[in-house]
């Protein structure tokens, strides 16, 4: 059974810092991995989707990398801003008979203070 | 597009009552997912549909839970009878293809007293 772990559980940084959020998964045979953002009381917003054949994806100040063999992904946020404060979740699509079903990590709560 | 729409946004009910949650996916999205989020268990997939047909309901916790999708623009998740341990935020999501980016609704926050 696929398990997804995110470290750290919470992170507080001053504005302007570059930061890295980590995600690990137990079964490396995945189809893709997604990073989501969740604001308090709101739904999830998909930030980046990396296919299993890709090594990284970029969108603005966000860069997500994927190392399937080691079962790891990182989300890099450059020049953090207070508006980046939210919970960040990674989710794995294991493919195969589980194709389309996402297994989520518990999330990293990010606080960026001015 | 208005995005995924869920109603109600908040629901407070008493144990034993029937609860119906509603979802309208993004037009043109063939896949619809129901998730439940709690502090203890995080986000869990309950069931998903493709072209209105349930594909995988292995995440539905027990027979008290049922889901339907009578047409491409509407789905319901019903709990009957409800119990306090059903208290959670229930999300609906949709996507254009299996394995694609999922677009989430704002969720329904359910409290069963």
């Amino acid at each position: 059974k696929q398990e997804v772990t995110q470290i750290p559980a919470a992170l507080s940084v001053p504005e302007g810092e570059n930061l890295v959020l980590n995600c690990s998964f137990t079964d490396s045979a995945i189809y893709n991995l997604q990073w989501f953002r969740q604001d308090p009381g709101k739904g999830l917003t998909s930030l980046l989707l990396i296919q299993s054949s890709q090594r990284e994806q970029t969108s603005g100040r966000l860069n997500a990398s994927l190392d399937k063999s080691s079962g790891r992904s990182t989300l890099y946020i450059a020049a953090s801003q207070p508006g980046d404060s939210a919970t960040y979740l990674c989710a794995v699509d294991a493919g195969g008979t589980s194709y389309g079903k996402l297994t989520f990590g518990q999330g990293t709560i990010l606080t960026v203070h001015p | 597009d208005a995005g995924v729409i869920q109603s109600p946004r908040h629901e407070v009910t008493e144990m034993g009552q029937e609860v119906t949650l509603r979802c309208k996916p993004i037009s043109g999205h063939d896949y619809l997912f129901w998730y439940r989020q709690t502090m203890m268990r995080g986000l869990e997939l309950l069931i998903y549909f493709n072209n209105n047909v349930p594909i995988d309901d292995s995440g539905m916790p027990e027979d008290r839970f049922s889901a339907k999708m009578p047409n491409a623009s509407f789905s319901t998740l019903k709990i009957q009878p409800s119990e306090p341990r059903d208290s959670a935020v229930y999300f609906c999501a949709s996507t254009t293809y299996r394995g694609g980016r999922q677009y989430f609704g704002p969720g329904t926050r359910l409290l069963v007293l």
Side-chain angles (χ1 to χ4, degrees):
Chain A
K1 179 187 173 185
Q2 181 73 267
E3 292 183 3
V4 181
T5 304
Q6 292 187 244
I7 296 173
L11 183 62
S12 180
V13 300
E15 181 177 6
E17 269 203 12
N18 302 323
L19 56 99
V20 174
L21 308 181
N22 297 290
C23 172
S24 62
F25 44 95
T26 53
D27 188 343
S28 61
I30 67 169
Y31 180 74
N32 66 38
L33 183 146
Q34 295 187 53
W35 282 93
F36 291 87
R37 168 186 173 137
Q38 184 175 25
D39 292 285
K42 302 288 181 62
L44 281 69
T45 300
S46 178
L47 299 173
L48 291 163
L49 183 152
I50 310 178
Q51 299 292 351
S52 62
S53 58
Q54 297 175 317
R55 295 299 299 268
E56 63 180 84
Q57 280 285 333
T58 299
S59 176
R61 294 182 294 108
L62 305 180
N63 176 275
S65 67
L66 175 64
D67 184 342
K68 260 185 53 175
S69 60
S70 66
R72 293 181 182 178
S73 176
T74 61
L75 179 66
Y76 174 83
I77 302 177
S80 58
Q81 303 170 358
D84 294 330
S85 299
T87 298
Y88 291 81
L89 299 109
C90 70
V92 170
D93 183 335
T97 56
S98 297
Y99 181 29
K101 296 171 61 173
L102 296 180
T103 300
F104 283 84
Q106 290 283 14
T108 293
I109 302 171
L110 173 65
T111 303
V112 181
H113 47 88
Chain B
D1 199 312
V4 176
I5 299 172
Q6 292 187 247
S7 65
R9 294 293 311 277
H10 302 272
E11 177 83 23
V12 181
T13 190
E14 293 188 347
M15 183 173 64
Q17 295 298 305
E18 178 178 292
V19 175
T20 299
L21 311 180
R22 297 172 176 79
C23 175
K24 176 179 169 53
I26 293 173
S27 177
H29 284 196
D30 294 331
Y31 289 85
L32 183 142
F33 303 80
W34 281 101
Y35 292 90
R36 178 172 67 177
Q37 186 176 40
T38 62
M39 288 294 293
M40 288 297 294
R41 300 174 67 89
L43 259 168
E44 302 173 289
L45 176 65
L46 300 177
I47 185 172
Y48 79 94
F49 295 82
N50 174 218
N51 290 326
N52 315 336
V53 176
I55 302 300
D56 191 324
D57 65 355
S58 60
M60 296 286 262
E62 47 197 279
D63 291 345
R64 298 184 298 106
F65 285 70
S66 63
K68 293 182 180 179
M69 193 165 185
N71 58 61
S73 59
F74 182 66
S75 177
T76 60
L77 178 68
K78 187 175 293 188
I79 308 173
Q80 166 63 19
S82 58
E83 298 182 2
R85 58 195 170 114
D86 301 330
S87 298
V89 182
Y90 291 81
F91 289 104
C92 175
S94 68
T95 186
T96 53
Y97 66 95
R98 198 174 176 188
R101 277 198 184 193
Q102 293 188 18
Y103 294 83
F104 280 69
T108 295
R109 189 171 298 272
L110 173 65
L111 178 61
V112 183
L113 302 174

Short mmCIF file of all heavy atoms in Angstrom, two decimals, chain A residues 43-68:
data_model
loop_
_atom_site.label_atom_id
_atom_site.label_comp_id
_atom_site.label_asym_id
_atom_site.label_seq_id
_atom_site.Cartn_x
_atom_site.Cartn_y
_atom_site.Cartn_z
N GLY A 43 -10.83 24.80 -0.58
CA GLY A 43 -10.48 23.57 -1.27
C GLY A 43 -9.01 23.56 -1.67
O GLY A 43 -8.26 24.47 -1.33
N LEU A 44 -8.62 22.53 -2.39
CA LEU A 44 -7.24 22.40 -2.83
C LEU A 44 -7.07 22.99 -4.22
O LEU A 44 -7.96 22.87 -5.06
CB LEU A 44 -6.84 20.92 -2.88
CG LEU A 44 -6.48 20.24 -1.57
CD1 LEU A 44 -7.68 20.07 -0.67
CD2 LEU A 44 -5.83 18.89 -1.85
N THR A 45 -5.91 23.59 -4.43
CA THR A 45 -5.55 24.12 -5.74
C THR A 45 -4.33 23.38 -6.25
O THR A 45 -3.30 23.33 -5.56
CB THR A 45 -5.24 25.62 -5.66
OG1 THR A 45 -6.39 26.32 -5.17
CG2 THR A 45 -4.87 26.18 -7.03
N SER A 46 -4.44 22.80 -7.43
CA SER A 46 -3.30 22.07 -8.01
C SER A 46 -2.24 23.07 -8.45
O SER A 46 -2.52 24.02 -9.18
CB SER A 46 -3.77 21.25 -9.20
OG SER A 46 -2.68 20.57 -9.80
N LEU A 47 -1.01 22.86 -7.98
CA LEU A 47 0.09 23.76 -8.32
C LEU A 47 0.93 23.20 -9.48
O LEU A 47 1.22 23.91 -10.44
CB LEU A 47 1.00 23.96 -7.10
CG LEU A 47 0.36 24.60 -5.87
CD1 LEU A 47 1.32 24.57 -4.70
CD2 LEU A 47 -0.09 26.02 -6.18
N LEU A 48 1.34 21.96 -9.32
CA LEU A 48 2.22 21.34 -10.31
C LEU A 48 1.91 19.86 -10.38
O LEU A 48 1.59 19.24 -9.37
CB LEU A 48 3.70 21.53 -9.92
CG LEU A 48 4.26 22.95 -9.99
CD1 LEU A 48 5.55 23.05 -9.20
CD2 LEU A 48 4.49 23.36 -11.44
N LEU A 49 2.03 19.30 -11.58
CA LEU A 49 1.88 17.87 -11.78
C LEU A 49 3.13 17.39 -12.52
O LEU A 49 3.50 17.95 -13.56
CB LEU A 49 0.62 17.56 -12.60
CG LEU A 49 0.27 16.09 -12.84
CD1 LEU A 49 -1.23 15.92 -13.02
CD2 LEU A 49 0.99 15.52 -14.05
N ILE A 50 3.78 16.38 -11.94
CA ILE A 50 4.99 15.82 -12.58
C ILE A 50 4.67 14.39 -13.00
O ILE A 50 4.30 13.56 -12.16
CB ILE A 50 6.18 15.80 -11.62
CG1 ILE A 50 6.39 17.14 -10.94
CG2 ILE A 50 7.46 15.41 -12.36
CD1 ILE A 50 7.53 17.12 -9.94
N GLN A 51 4.86 14.10 -14.27
CA GLN A 51 4.69 12.73 -14.74
C GLN A 51 5.89 11.91 -14.30
O GLN A 51 6.97 12.44 -14.05
CB GLN A 51 4.57 12.71 -16.26
CG GLN A 51 3.40 13.49 -16.82
CD GLN A 51 2.05 12.89 -16.48
OE1 GLN A 51 1.95 11.77 -15.96
NE2 GLN A 51 0.99 13.62 -16.77
N SER A 52 5.71 10.61 -14.24
CA SER A 52 6.78 9.72 -13.75
C SER A 52 8.03 9.79 -14.63
O SER A 52 9.14 9.53 -14.16
CB SER A 52 6.29 8.29 -13.66
OG SER A 52 5.93 7.82 -14.94
N SER A 53 7.86 10.19 -15.88
CA SER A 53 9.00 10.26 -16.81
C SER A 53 9.75 11.59 -16.71
O SER A 53 10.79 11.77 -17.34
CB SER A 53 8.52 10.07 -18.24
OG SER A 53 7.55 11.07 -18.55
N GLN A 54 9.20 12.53 -15.93
CA GLN A 54 9.81 13.85 -15.82
C GLN A 54 10.64 13.96 -14.55
O GLN A 54 10.41 13.24 -13.57
CB GLN A 54 8.72 14.93 -15.81
CG GLN A 54 7.91 14.97 -17.11
CD GLN A 54 6.75 15.95 -17.03
OE1 GLN A 54 6.05 16.03 -16.03
NE2 GLN A 54 6.57 16.71 -18.10
N ARG A 55 11.58 14.90 -14.56
CA ARG A 55 12.41 15.14 -13.38
C ARG A 55 11.97 16.38 -12.61
O ARG A 55 12.16 16.45 -11.40
CB ARG A 55 13.88 15.29 -13.79
CG ARG A 55 14.49 14.03 -14.38
CD ARG A 55 14.46 12.88 -13.37
NE ARG A 55 15.19 13.16 -12.16
CZ ARG A 55 16.47 12.85 -11.99
NH1 ARG A 55 17.15 12.30 -12.98
NH2 ARG A 55 17.07 13.12 -10.86
N GLU A 56 11.39 17.36 -13.34
CA GLU A 56 10.94 18.54 -12.64
C GLU A 56 9.91 19.31 -13.47
O GLU A 56 9.77 19.10 -14.68
CB GLU A 56 12.11 19.46 -12.30
CG GLU A 56 12.88 20.04 -13.48
CD GLU A 56 14.00 20.93 -12.98
OE1 GLU A 56 15.08 20.42 -12.64
OE2 GLU A 56 13.78 22.16 -12.93
N GLN A 57 9.19 20.19 -12.75
CA GLN A 57 8.22 21.08 -13.36
C GLN A 57 8.35 22.43 -12.67
O GLN A 57 8.59 22.49 -11.46
CB GLN A 57 6.80 20.55 -13.18
CG GLN A 57 6.38 19.47 -14.15
CD GLN A 57 6.10 19.99 -15.53
OE1 GLN A 57 5.74 21.15 -15.71
NE2 GLN A 57 6.30 19.14 -16.53
N THR A 58 8.14 23.49 -13.44
CA THR A 58 8.28 24.83 -12.90
C THR A 58 7.05 25.65 -13.24
O THR A 58 6.50 25.54 -14.34
CB THR A 58 9.53 25.52 -13.47
OG1 THR A 58 10.69 24.78 -13.10
CG2 THR A 58 9.66 26.93 -12.95
N SER A 59 6.66 26.49 -12.27
CA SER A 59 5.58 27.44 -12.50
C SER A 59 5.88 28.67 -11.65
O SER A 59 5.78 28.65 -10.43
CB SER A 59 4.23 26.84 -12.10
OG SER A 59 3.20 27.80 -12.23
N GLY A 60 6.31 29.74 -12.33
CA GLY A 60 6.64 30.96 -11.61
C GLY A 60 7.75 30.73 -10.60
O GLY A 60 8.83 30.26 -10.93
N ARG A 61 7.46 31.05 -9.34
CA ARG A 61 8.47 30.88 -8.27
C ARG A 61 8.51 29.46 -7.71
O ARG A 61 9.27 29.19 -6.78
CB ARG A 61 8.15 31.87 -7.14
CG ARG A 61 8.32 33.35 -7.52
CD ARG A 61 8.05 34.27 -6.34
NE ARG A 61 6.66 34.22 -5.90
CZ ARG A 61 6.26 33.64 -4.77
NH1 ARG A 61 7.14 33.08 -3.95
NH2 ARG A 61 4.98 33.65 -4.43
N LEU A 62 7.72 28.57 -8.25
CA LEU A 62 7.65 27.21 -7.76
C LEU A 62 8.39 26.27 -8.70
O LEU A 62 8.28 26.38 -9.92
CB LEU A 62 6.19 26.75 -7.66
CG LEU A 62 5.23 27.60 -6.84
CD1 LEU A 62 3.84 26.98 -6.87
CD2 LEU A 62 5.72 27.75 -5.42
N ASN A 63 9.12 25.34 -8.08
CA ASN A 63 9.79 24.30 -8.85
C ASN A 63 9.64 22.99 -8.08
O ASN A 63 9.98 22.91 -6.90
CB ASN A 63 11.28 24.63 -9.03
CG ASN A 63 12.02 23.52 -9.74
OD1 ASN A 63 12.47 22.55 -9.11
ND2 ASN A 63 12.15 23.63 -11.05
N ALA A 64 9.11 21.99 -8.76
CA ALA A 64 8.95 20.68 -8.14
C ALA A 64 9.86 19.68 -8.84
O ALA A 64 9.92 19.65 -10.07
CB ALA A 64 7.50 20.22 -8.21
N SER A 65 10.55 18.88 -8.06
CA SER A 65 11.41 17.85 -8.63
C SER A 65 10.90 16.48 -8.21
O SER A 65 10.20 16.35 -7.21
CB SER A 65 12.85 18.04 -8.16
OG SER A 65 12.94 17.80 -6.77
N LEU A 66 11.26 15.47 -8.99
CA LEU A 66 10.84 14.11 -8.71
C LEU A 66 12.01 13.16 -8.91
O LEU A 66 12.67 13.18 -9.96
CB LEU A 66 9.70 13.70 -9.64
CG LEU A 66 9.22 12.25 -9.56
CD1 LEU A 66 8.63 11.95 -8.18
CD2 LEU A 66 8.21 11.94 -10.65
N ASP A 67 12.28 12.34 -7.89
CA ASP A 67 13.27 11.27 -7.98
C ASP A 67 12.54 9.98 -7.65
O ASP A 67 12.40 9.60 -6.48
CB ASP A 67 14.42 11.52 -7.01
CG ASP A 67 15.53 10.48 -7.15
OD1 ASP A 67 15.27 9.41 -7.72
OD2 ASP A 67 16.65 10.73 -6.68
N LYS A 68 12.07 9.31 -8.69
CA LYS A 68 11.27 8.11 -8.50
C LYS A 68 12.03 7.01 -7.78
O LYS A 68 11.51 6.34 -6.90
CB LYS A 68 10.79 7.59 -9.86
CG LYS A 68 9.40 7.95 -10.22
CD LYS A 68 8.98 7.31 -11.52
CE LYS A 68 9.19 5.82 -11.54
NZ LYS A 68 8.65 5.19 -12.77
#
